[in-house]
């Protein structure tokens, strides 16, 4: 009997998992975007609308520390993550955004950016008040996944913002990105609106509000 090969039931189960978690539709959307037909439905999300129980790291918490990241950490992040070489993450800091992250001793575990000024997402403007922030670009390195790092860092971000008088947090979730939607639901987040962003051949752009949940 041969081993190491996927049987038909294994393949069916693999496809079902992709469909169940929204990966298939997300992949189709990304393929269409690659040829100039970029349709992105997304939710405008308000996070932690009610207090949550502080998430815990599934490891020895004494080994980890949360801190603000600067240009030196951004350099390391830029070098370690595949597929983001074309992005200039340093510009986020230069434009006034904040980066916070988790380290295990000197090793970077996870990070996210926080924006406190005017937000323009794919041509749609969102005005942020002095007590509001937009949370973006969260990432956990593969060797630390499964240890509850993302919820832990998100919550620590809430606490750091609260110290600055910021008590309202927003973010964006792609409609087909089911893991992100589930992750934010655990943080007592709610959808405020559903939008459809359309970009055609990188020349034409529209944003349509499909639904208002408030």
């Amino acid at each position: 009997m041969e081993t190491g090969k996927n049987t038909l039931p294994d393949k069916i189960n693999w496809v079902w998992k992709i469909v169940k978690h929204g990966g298939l539709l997300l992949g189709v959307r990304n393929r269409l975007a690659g040829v100039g037909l970029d349709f992105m439905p997304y939710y405008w999300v308000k996070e932690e609308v009610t207090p949550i129980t502080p998430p815990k790291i599934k490891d020895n918490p004494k080994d980890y520390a949360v801190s603000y990241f600067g240009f030196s950490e951004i350099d390391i992040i830029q070098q370690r993550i595949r597929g983001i070489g074309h992005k200039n993450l340093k510009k986020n800091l230069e434009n006034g955004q904040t980066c916070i992250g988790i380290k295990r001793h000197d090793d970077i575990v996870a990070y996210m950016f926080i924006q406190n000024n005017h937000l323009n997402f794919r041509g749609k403007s969102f005005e942020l008040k002095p007590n509001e922030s937009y949370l973006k670009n969260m990432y956990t390195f593969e060797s630390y996944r499964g240890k509850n790092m993302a919820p832990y860092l998100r919550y620590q971000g809430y606490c750091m913002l609260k110290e600055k008088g910021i008590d309202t947090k927003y973010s964006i979730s792609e409609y087909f990105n089911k893991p992100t939607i589930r992750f934010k639901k655990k943080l007592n987040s709610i959808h405020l609106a559903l939008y459809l962003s359309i970009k055609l051949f990188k020349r034409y752009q529209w944003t349509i509000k499909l639904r208002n949940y408030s």
Side-chain angles (χ1 to χ4, degrees):
M1 180 177 178
E2 292 185 353
T3 59
K5 292 185 178 180
N6 290 330
T7 63
L8 181 59
D10 290 335
K11 292 179 180 179
I12 293 174
N13 187 50
W14 175 72
V15 172
W16 164 244
K17 285 182 179 179
I18 292 176
V19 174
K20 180 180 179 182
H21 296 295
L24 181 61
L25 293 175
L26 185 61
V28 170
R29 193 207 78 78
N30 291 338
R31 290 277 184 133
L32 288 173
V35 297
L37 304 175
D38 189 348
F39 299 88
M40 179 192 282
Y42 66 87
Y43 293 109
W44 180 241
V45 181
K46 185 176 182 180
E47 298 196 16
E48 199 197 26
V49 292
T50 55
I52 64 172
T53 302
K56 296 181 179 179
I57 293 174
K58 295 178 181 179
D59 202 349
N60 185 356
K62 295 181 180 179
D63 290 339
Y64 299 87
V66 177
S67 64
Y68 290 100
F69 282 6
F71 290 106
S72 59
E73 286 88 0
I74 297 301
D75 278 335
I76 296 171
I77 290 168
Q78 195 91 47
Q79 294 167 14
R80 286 182 59 189
I81 301 178
R82 295 179 181 178
I84 66 167
H86 64 291
K87 296 182 179 180
N88 187 352
L89 297 182
K90 288 184 178 180
K91 263 194 172 179
N92 291 345
L93 295 182
E94 293 169 357
N95 291 335
Q97 296 181 27
T98 302
C99 183
I100 66 170
I102 305 173
K103 283 185 179 181
R104 185 179 185 272
H105 307 305
D106 292 327
D107 193 26
I108 294 176
V109 174
Y111 75 92
M112 75 171 179
F113 281 92
I114 301 171
Q115 186 166 334
N116 297 316
N117 47 20
H118 174 77
L119 170 67
N120 187 298
F121 182 77
R122 294 171 62 95
K124 168 66 178 174
S125 294
F126 295 92
E127 294 294 337
L128 298 176
K129 299 176 183 177
N131 69 314
E132 298 176 340
S133 281
Y134 171 69
L135 311 182
K136 57 183 290 188
N137 294 1
M138 171 168 276
Y139 186 88
T140 302
F141 285 96
E142 289 186 13
S143 57
Y144 293 99
R145 292 176 186 174
K147 297 180 182 292
N148 213 38
M149 294 297 173
Y152 180 79
L153 179 58
R154 206 70 161 189
Y155 178 76
Q156 294 302 315
Y158 297 162
C159 296
M160 294 166 85
L161 288 171
K162 189 174 182 180
E163 292 177 355
K164 296 181 177 182
I166 297 172
D167 55 14
T168 303
K169 292 84 59 179
Y170 297 109
S171 64
I172 284 172
S173 299
E174 285 194 51
Y175 182 85
F176 297 123
N177 195 331
K178 303 305 181 185
T180 294
I181 292 172
R182 288 195 298 271
F183 155 67
K184 292 181 182 179
K185 189 175 181 180
K186 293 178 181 179
L187 299 173
N188 293 349
S189 301
I190 61 170
H191 297 154
L192 297 180
L194 175 63
Y195 292 93
L196 174 62
S197 171
I198 303 171
K199 285 185 179 182
L200 299 180
F201 309 108
K202 299 182 180 180
R203 295 183 60 187
Y204 307 102
Q205 183 169 284
W206 303 270
T207 298
I208 304 167
K209 181 183 279 190
L210 300 179
R211 185 174 179 183
N212 196 333
Y213 294 94
S214 51

